[in-house]
Amino acid sequence: MDARTASPVSDTLLRRLAGFTEACRHRPLTAAETDAMVTRLIDAMACAAIATGGEDFARLKATFVDERQPCTVIGGGRASLEHAAFLNSFLIRQQDWNDTYIGRNGGHPSDLIGGVLAAGEYTGKSGAEILRAIAIGQHVMLDLCDTGEVLARGWDPSTYLGIASAVGAGVLLDLSEAQLAQAISMTVVSGNILMGRTGKVSSWKGLSSAVAVRNSLFYGLLAKNGLTAPDPVFEGPFGFTRHVSGDLDLELDPQRDRTGDTHLKLYPAVYHAQGPIEAALKIHRRMNETFGEKLPAIESAHLDIYEFALRYAADTPDKWVPENVETADHSLPFLTAHSLIAGEYGPGSIARTLRDPAVRALAQKVSVSASPSFSKVWPEHTGSRLTVTAAGKTFSEEIDVIIGHPKRPMSRDTVLEKFLACASLKTDLATAQRWAEQLTDFPRLASISRALAGS
């Protein structure tokens, strides 16, 4: 059977997803929507730029980069469509500094950007067309996160991401509505990824999204060449909703603007630590004002936070004695201890203090508990309160909404500062500034290759 001539799909949700995408693909973004997507693109590229210097990426680059191939890898080098999608997505995700979204389920919508960029370059699309495809994929990701029970059932957010990536990339691969339904179905039937970012966190934290994105593009190519997929796939006795997600009540309103709904991160750490890090840095400054530069030993530190944060950042004993950076940047006790002692938090901070005896000793003193009041209003508010005692004095800071939350958004200037700080670690400041200008001008680019390479 050929996807190009197959009968209309019977699966209601599959048909709705394909129809939603078809309705959105011809609607240009407004100026405000474009601005929101450019900001998120720059933020994602900042995360990718700093990750190009990592050891894990060096290993992957040695295996997958091939200068004879058609697609640009972020920061330079070339690869096949699928490998560029994989590498780009890995770079965006690896530092755990890219955006997040908290609905009924969590996830990282910008993880799909790497695949959409690869698909857009592969098909020669303009910057404006690529931004629109990113926005469509992000919309699907957010609507998925707002329903179902994938996290509660033990599935990774990458399970939803693959579906959203199939949509965003499928638009740029010029899939028809019928072909897009086949690509989504292939992703749904094969892309269910178990939760792998709790306890001892590993390299898989940065790989799961990249694998989901890479696979979704592969399925797009299969569908474009006439291959077909199961129908129904969401519904029925063996369907996705019965065995993976639970009921999916997707809104899928093409007129709804979701471009500004994701949460950006100021600090390179798990989302739930953004408030505690800010609170700890404020307490460090207050202690300096009180005691001078030589701070007394901290006797105790207690963190109150919403209950959901404990599931991913204070869930096992490993979080109090992290043995690698991946676990440390998902550890509320360690991140709090580091920020209290160091008085700073940025790229490379954890690597510098992972084995610091003082930080590790203080992490043992950090207690964490779920606050009923913070849990009740989460995620509309992302509250946390840190209370520290030292030399007979008590210091407390409460954060109601973290920086980067839609209620306290990061400005374009702040995102550009983040990008320049990250890109300057890869290249000189002048080149980083030119790269930032290309990304700011992304909606007007006829070709995106140079904006990807940063040249």
Side-chain angles (χ1 to χ4, degrees), residues 86-336:
F86 172 79
L87 293 171
N88 290 346
S89 298
F90 173 81
L91 287 170
I92 289 170
R93 181 77 195 107
Q94 199 269 338
Q95 293 285 308
D96 202 4
W97 204 356
N98 62 318
D99 72 356
T100 195
Y101 178 73
I102 307 295
R104 194 168 179 177
N105 305 268
H108 303 277
S110 65
D111 286 358
L112 65 83
I113 289 177
V116 175
L117 291 173
E121 184 186 27
Y122 182 77
T123 53
K125 296 298 192 292
S126 69
E129 291 171 305
I130 292 167
L131 287 174
R132 181 166 56 196
I134 294 171
I136 296 170
Q138 175 178 294
H139 192 140
V140 170
M141 179 66 175
L142 301 191
D143 277 14
L144 283 167
C145 285
D146 282 339
T147 187
E149 300 288 350
V150 289
L151 294 187
R153 289 170 174 235
W155 299 103
D156 193 89
S158 303
T159 298
Y160 277 165
L161 178 75
I163 300 171
S165 177
V167 167
V171 169
L172 298 176
L173 292 174
D174 297 316
L175 301 187
S176 68
E177 187 172 345
Q179 291 169 338
L180 184 65
Q182 303 304 316
I184 295 170
S185 178
M186 290 180 197
T187 303
V188 171
V189 79
S190 64
N192 307 310
I193 299 175
L194 289 172
M195 176 60 68
R197 61 185 81 188
T198 58
K200 292 181 180 179
V201 184
S202 66
S203 297
W204 184 250
K205 178 193 71 176
L207 290 169
S208 63
S209 291
V211 168
V213 168
R214 178 262 179 205
N215 289 347
S216 72
L217 266 74
F218 178 67
Y219 302 140
L221 293 177
L222 292 182
K224 190 173 180 67
N225 283 281
L227 282 300
T228 57
D231 176 28
V233 68
F234 286 103
E235 301 166 354
F238 301 104
F240 183 86
T241 56
R242 179 165 183 172
H243 295 281
V244 179
S245 67
D247 291 340
L248 291 176
D249 184 19
L250 294 176
E251 183 172 338
L252 296 178
D253 178 3
Q255 301 305 315
R256 184 182 181 189
D257 176 13
R258 303 223 65 180
T259 56
D261 289 352
T262 64
H263 307 211
L264 304 184
K265 293 183 185 178
L266 183 61
Y267 306 109
V270 66
Y271 179 75
H272 309 298
Q274 302 294 305
I277 290 171
E278 182 182 358
L281 294 177
K282 288 182 175 181
I283 289 176
H284 178 90
R285 289 193 291 270
R286 287 177 56 194
M287 290 179 66
N288 268 335
E289 293 168 358
T290 302
F291 300 115
E293 290 189 7
K294 189 169 183 180
L295 301 181
I298 292 174
E299 298 153 12
S300 67
H302 181 73
L303 177 65
D304 290 296
I305 198 166
Y306 48 90
E307 190 273 336
F308 191 86
L310 274 63
R311 301 184 200 175
Y312 298 98
D315 54 318
T316 65
D318 301 288
K319 295 302 196 303
W320 274 262
V321 285
E323 293 301 319
N324 57 32
V325 170
E326 290 82 4
T327 303
D329 73 13
H330 272 57
S331 164
L332 289 174
F334 186 88
L335 293 168
T336 299

Side-chain angles (χ1 to χ4, degrees), residues 13 46 72 75 170 220 266 384 404 416 426:
L13 186 51
T72 306
L266 183 61
S384 60
L416 281 169
K426 167 183 167 55

Side-chain angles (χ1 to χ4, degrees), residues 14 50 237 385 433 455:
L14 184 58
I50 191 172
R385 180 174 53 250
Q433 289 173 331
S455 59

